[in-house]
Each structure stands twice: as C-alpha cells, then as structure tokens.
Amino acid sequence: LDRRVHSRVVRMDIPLQDQLYFGSVSVTFSVTTGNAFSSPPSSWTDNVTENTKNEANARFQAAGWIGEGYENLVLPAIPATDPTLIEADVSASRLLPTLFQSPLMKSEEGKVIGLQSGRRSALIKVGETWYRLKGCGDLYGGFPIAAVEGHPGKENIRGCTFAHTSSRELQMNEIIQKVLDPFGVLSCNKSVGWWEYNTTDAFPKVKRTCMIAETYGNKRLGDNVITGLERLLPNISQFDETALCKAFPEGRLDEGEPFPTFIVTLTGDFGGEKDFREFPIKEFVGGRYPGIAEKWHTLWDEAAAIINRRKDDKSLLAKLYWRFGYEAGVIFNALHSAKDEISWGTYVDLLGTHCNAHVNNFSILPKGTSKSGFFLAPLDFDMAYTRSTFSRSDTEWSEWMYLEKSGLLGVLGGDEQLNTGVVATAELPAPFSTLRWALRDTMVAGFKAGESAGEKYLAGEITQILEKESEEETDALYAMLTLALIITENETA
C-alpha cells in the first residue's frame, strides 16, 4: 500500500526549511475519547524480577494469557521487562501543550492539521516546536486488525503503540540521550507523554496508545538523503570510471565491476572496503532535477550555486558519506558499549525478525540543531532494551547484538533487501553504480572509524569527537543535503 494514500500536499503556512526537514504531506486529526498523560524526566524505572521477566516472555506466544478470545492475538514481544511508571497522575496532562490534553486520531474529517510520518505516526507543530505522535492511527484507518504473515489464524493490531511499547520508548528516549550527552549528540525525540484511547474495537483489554515527543527532525538518512543523493549521481558527478574501478582493492572486481559493499562487509572478503575520499570526483550541479515542484526552485538554485563555487577539489559526496558512516558509528558504539549495554531493538518473535538499527532510524537535523555539529540523530526506540532488563538467554543476547551490528553494516553497505524499514531506492546505470559502491565503501569505512573514535573519546585519548568544518564547507555539505531532500520530498519513511 502506498504510504501516501489518502494524504494531501500540505496547504499550511509552513516555511520551506521546515517542509524540507519535517515533511510536506499533510494529514488531519480529530479529537477522540481517552486519557492524556505527561512523562516528565525520570518518570520511569525498572522492576527486574523473575515474574516480570516471565510476563515479558509470555508475549513470545499468542496472547491467550490475557483471557478468552485473545488466543489468536499477537503482540510485540520485546525481550525485556516493562518500564514501571513511578507515579500515574491523569491530572498531569496539564503539563502537555493544550492541543494534546485530549487524544487526537488521524481522521479525514479532522480540523487539526499535521504532517504524515510513516503509516502510524505524524507530526504537529505547536508554537516553534515540532511534536511526533507515534501510534495515532493507521493512515485514516484507525486501529485495524491484520493477519500475521506466516502464522495462519493469528492477528495483530495496527496503527497504534501499546502500553508496553509507548512506555518503553518514553523511557529509552531519556536513557539514550544520557548515553549520547558526553558526545554532544542529540537523540531525535524528547519524551513528552502519551495518550490512551478508549476503544470498543476487537480485543478491548489491550490498550491502544500513542507516544508523544518533541522531535528535532523527521527526514531520514536512508529513504530521503542517501536515496536522493544516489538519484542525483548521474546529474552532478564527473569522474574517470576506469580509474575508479582500478582504485578498488585487489580481488574486488568481477568482470570489471566491483562487488557491492554489503557483500564485502558481510563476508569480510574480496579485499574489504576502501575510503574513497581522496579519489578525484568532481560535483557540479548543471540544472534542476526533473519534476521538482516550483516552490523549491529558488532553494535549489541557491544550493546549486553554493556547491558550484566550492574551491576544494576533494569530493563533497565522499565527505558526506564518510560523515554519515562516522556519525552512525559513534552513535551505535555509544549504545552497544554503554555501562548498561543497549540494543536498538533486535530480536525474533511471532511478528518476525526485527532490527531497528538501520539507516531510516537516523534522522537528518537542520543546521545548527546539534552542538556537536552532527547531521544525524537516532530515533525509534519502542523496541530498544538494556542488558540489565533483558529477559531471555545469554546466548540470545549475544546472537541478537551481533545481528544488530551486522544488519546496520549491511544496510549502510547498500543491501536493499535486508531491512523492511528501508524502502526507497535509486536505479543507477553504469558507471554510476560503480560510484555508488565507492561511496558506500566510504560510508562503511567511516562507520568503523566512528566506532573507534567514540571509544577513544570516552577514554580521553582524543579531545573532540568531530573535527570542525569551515563555515563555507558546512554550507556546501548542507547544500548537497538540500538537493537530496528536495528530490525525495514525498518519501515518508
């Protein structure tokens, strides 16, 4: 189903820069019945016992344990004990923005206007702050019941979050921000609260919830930035194809073409990845990309002019790809090497094999948002868990943490089949497919450098996590991002 079904091009007075980084596909909401709750800092704690572990593990089977009529319902089974709310106070909803003090749900007849962000999520701007609403309806379909693939007769509830997943995201947003604070890096979402919807639908004992958070960005590294940049390659890149092929490590070429980066990364073979930042690639923007909306013409032309007057003879694209990998490596290593190790959300349950560590769970930040200068901010922690709350075996912990890193490296390396969370693609003819793998190599090399740098930074072996770029170079890097985001305006990850 097209993620943009029922959505309309936005007709609100939203600045173009906001549309660029948050979206331009509108959605409407109506007020509905239920309760609203705020989630101030330190609202959640852990209660790790054999009983709470057993409660978490029960979700790895269908939900007959809830009662009669629930034998075929499947719920997400995060392998960790549920967060515990320290104090529940419905009146604390007064701490929420006035608009959020009653639950909202996507509705075609609604009067409240926001922006679409995936099937079950949306964004609303209140004052100068953007908020993410995760679980406010499956497009305009409410909370439908759907079949579980591969398990005949089993069903799940779509379009919402649940008490155990919205609370998890609210808690993990805060935990992960504390892990990232030493690097000056932002977690993309700052917890605010949640809604519990009243429902007379099927399975009424299961609360439908929506997580509410301030958010610093929405466009994604995968579907928006990398896809946009790779669609741009034939329009802006100039390089020597023969020299580029020869620059790959020995053993990498097959009939003159390099093996894809993800094959090299996942097998550890074919000579490994290479950093192509020193290879001569010239970028020049000769005109507008076909089919972009007229509203973007001025912004496109301004970005193109910044890129075209850049004096540095090193590739801007290669620098960007390396930065993406480097920042992802710093962030990922911070989670996996935390004092209480953190999984982004990798495990296997009746709903499938999950891995939330992928390129669409890095959001791109507008310039000046992060004091570290990072482009990326991680998000989507409703399946994240810590080592201390893990409810399964030590063997599963080790296997799933290994799978998480392998999965992220594979997606960074360009494997389009590895993760269903990444859907947009760029079809590239030779020689630009060769350039794609050179850039993907560079991104994976950056990831490995970022992992190492994160460890050295925390150990005091280096004093800054990211070398500061000149203002002119920063402008050029953001100009290239602007072109990619314009091209992928309607991709909603």
Side-chain angles (χ1 to χ4, degrees):
L1 179 64
D2 189 330
R3 293 173 180 231
R4 299 184 295 278
V5 68
H6 296 313
S7 297
R8 304 179 294 278
V9 174
V10 69
R11 293 182 175 81
M12 295 177 289
D13 184 21
I14 295 181
L16 281 179
Q17 281 292 331
D18 271 7
Q19 292 189 43
L20 196 67
Y21 284 93
F22 292 91
S24 56
V25 179
S26 67
V27 64
T28 50
F29 302 83
S30 294
V31 176
T32 189
T33 58
N35 291 316
F37 302 85
S38 67
S39 180
S42 303
S43 294
W44 304 92
T45 189
D46 293 316
N47 179 26
V48 183
T49 67
E50 286 306 309
N51 284 340
T52 56
K53 287 184 178 181
N54 290 338
E55 290 170 2
N57 290 338
R59 298 191 188 103
F60 282 85
Q61 304 298 322
W65 42 271
I66 294 177
E68 186 177 354
Y70 289 76
E71 297 85 355
N72 290 321
L73 176 64
V74 176
L75 294 170
I78 294 90
T81 57
D82 296 342
T84 300
L85 185 64
I86 294 174
E87 181 179 356
D89 180 6
V90 175
S91 68
S93 65
R94 69 185 184 279
L95 301 176
L96 299 172
T98 303
L99 181 61
F100 298 151
Q101 291 179 10
S102 295
L104 299 173
M105 185 183 293
K106 293 174 191 171
S107 165
E108 289 183 286
E109 293 76 35
K111 303 301 182 184
V112 178
I113 304 176
L115 297 177
Q116 185 71 25
S117 174
R119 290 192 66 98
R120 64 172 176 165
S121 300
L123 307 176
I124 291 179
K125 192 175 187 181
V126 179
E128 295 301 311
T129 303
W130 282 98
Y131 292 86
R132 184 178 308 281
L133 312 177
K134 185 173 182 177
C136 52
D138 186 65
L139 300 176
Y140 288 133
F143 305 130
I145 307 301
V148 176
E149 186 177 351
H151 296 279
K154 296 294 187 284
E155 299 176 310
N156 68 336
I157 305 169
R158 309 291 294 180
C160 61
T161 56
F162 302 94
H164 69 291
T165 59
S166 55
S167 61
R168 177 167 301 282
E169 185 145 27
L170 291 166
Q171 182 193 43
M172 293 306 297
N173 285 341
E174 185 175 352
I175 288 173
I176 289 170
Q177 183 58 72
K178 289 178 180 177
V179 168
L180 297 177
D181 277 342
F183 304 97
V185 173
L186 286 173
S187 177
C188 192
N189 296 329
K190 181 180 179 182
S191 298
V192 170
W194 77 101
W195 295 320
E196 292 181 359
Y197 295 98
N198 291 342
T199 181
T200 56
D201 295 341
F203 309 119
K205 293 181 181 179
V206 177
K207 292 179 181 178
R208 280 72 158 169
T209 67
C210 176
M211 190 277 305
I212 309 168
E214 293 183 24
T215 194
Y216 303 112
N218 187 50
K219 295 302 181 77
R220 308 306 170 91
L221 176 60
D223 281 359
N224 299 115
V225 176
I226 294 175
T227 295
L229 292 175
E230 292 185 353
R231 289 175 182 172
L232 263 175
L233 293 182
N235 300 69
I236 66 170
S237 306
Q238 302 167 14
F239 59 96
D240 184 326
E241 180 187 8
T242 301
L244 182 61
C245 286
K246 290 180 178 179
F248 280 91
E250 186 177 353
R252 183 69 181 275
L253 299 183
D254 178 32
E255 297 182 357
E257 292 288 326
F259 284 107
T261 305
F262 64 87
I263 293 178
V264 177
T265 297
L266 296 178
T267 63
D269 205 350
F270 306 107
E273 308 90 7
K274 178 174 178 175
D275 179 353
F276 281 86
R277 283 181 294 168
E278 298 296 326
F279 185 85
I281 303 167
K282 173 67 176 176
E283 292 97 15
F284 182 84
V285 186
R288 298 183 191 128
Y289 192 81
I292 64 171
E294 184 177 355
K295 65 181 179 180
W296 298 116
H297 285 184
T298 298
L299 196 58
W300 178 282
D301 293 345
E302 291 171 351
I306 292 171
I307 294 168
N308 290 346
R309 65 172 175 259
R310 178 174 176 261
K311 302 300 183 184
D312 195 327
D313 59 357
K314 293 182 181 178
S315 169
L316 193 62
L317 283 168
K319 177 178 283 192
L320 262 181
Y321 272 67
W322 192 88
R323 274 282 300 272
F324 296 151
Y326 180 88
E327 293 181 18
V330 170
I331 292 166
F332 184 81
N333 187 68
L335 270 59
H336 271 220
S337 64
K339 183 176 180 181
D340 190 6
E341 298 163 80
I342 298 169
S343 167
W344 205 316
T346 299
Y347 60 93
V348 181
D349 67 2
L350 290 176
L351 295 172
T353 298
H354 309 275
C355 179
N356 261 357
H358 58 73
V359 287
N360 272 354
N361 280 339
F362 293 99
S363 182
I364 296 292
L365 298 174
K367 185 181 177 184
T369 304
S370 172
K371 65 181 181 181
S372 66
F374 269 42
F375 294 120
L376 304 184
L379 73 165
D380 200 2
F381 298 127
D382 60 336
M383 301 192 307
Y385 52 88
T386 61
R387 184 66 176 99
S388 65
T389 61
F390 189 63
S391 62
R392 308 289 289 184
S393 69
D394 290 345
T395 298
E396 286 170 306
W397 172 267
S398 298
E399 289 176 349
W400 290 342
M401 291 291 272
Y402 176 81
L403 177 61
E404 185 158 283
K405 182 173 180 178
S406 298
L408 179 54
L409 281 169
V411 177
L412 288 171
D415 190 339
E416 296 173 350
Q417 307 301 319
L418 192 60
N419 198 302
T420 58
V422 185
V423 297
T425 60
E427 298 295 328
L428 289 174
F432 298 102
S433 58
T434 302
L435 179 57
R436 185 216 303 262
W437 301 127
L439 293 171
R440 293 287 189 152
D441 265 35
T442 303
M443 186 154 54
V444 171
F447 178 89
K448 294 177 179 179
E451 281 191 299
S452 175
E455 293 176 358
K456 291 178 180 178
Y457 182 78
L458 291 178
E461 296 175 22
I462 57 175
T463 58
Q464 59 183 31
I465 194 61
L466 187 67
E467 292 185 12
K468 185 175 177 61
E469 300 281 1
S470 68
E471 190 66 25
E472 293 78 8
E473 189 72 347
T474 299
D475 287 344
L477 292 166
Y478 267 99
M480 191 67 81
L481 291 179
T482 294
L483 302 187
L485 294 175
I486 290 174
I487 288 173
T488 56
E489 173 189 8
N490 291 322
E491 298 288 352
T492 53

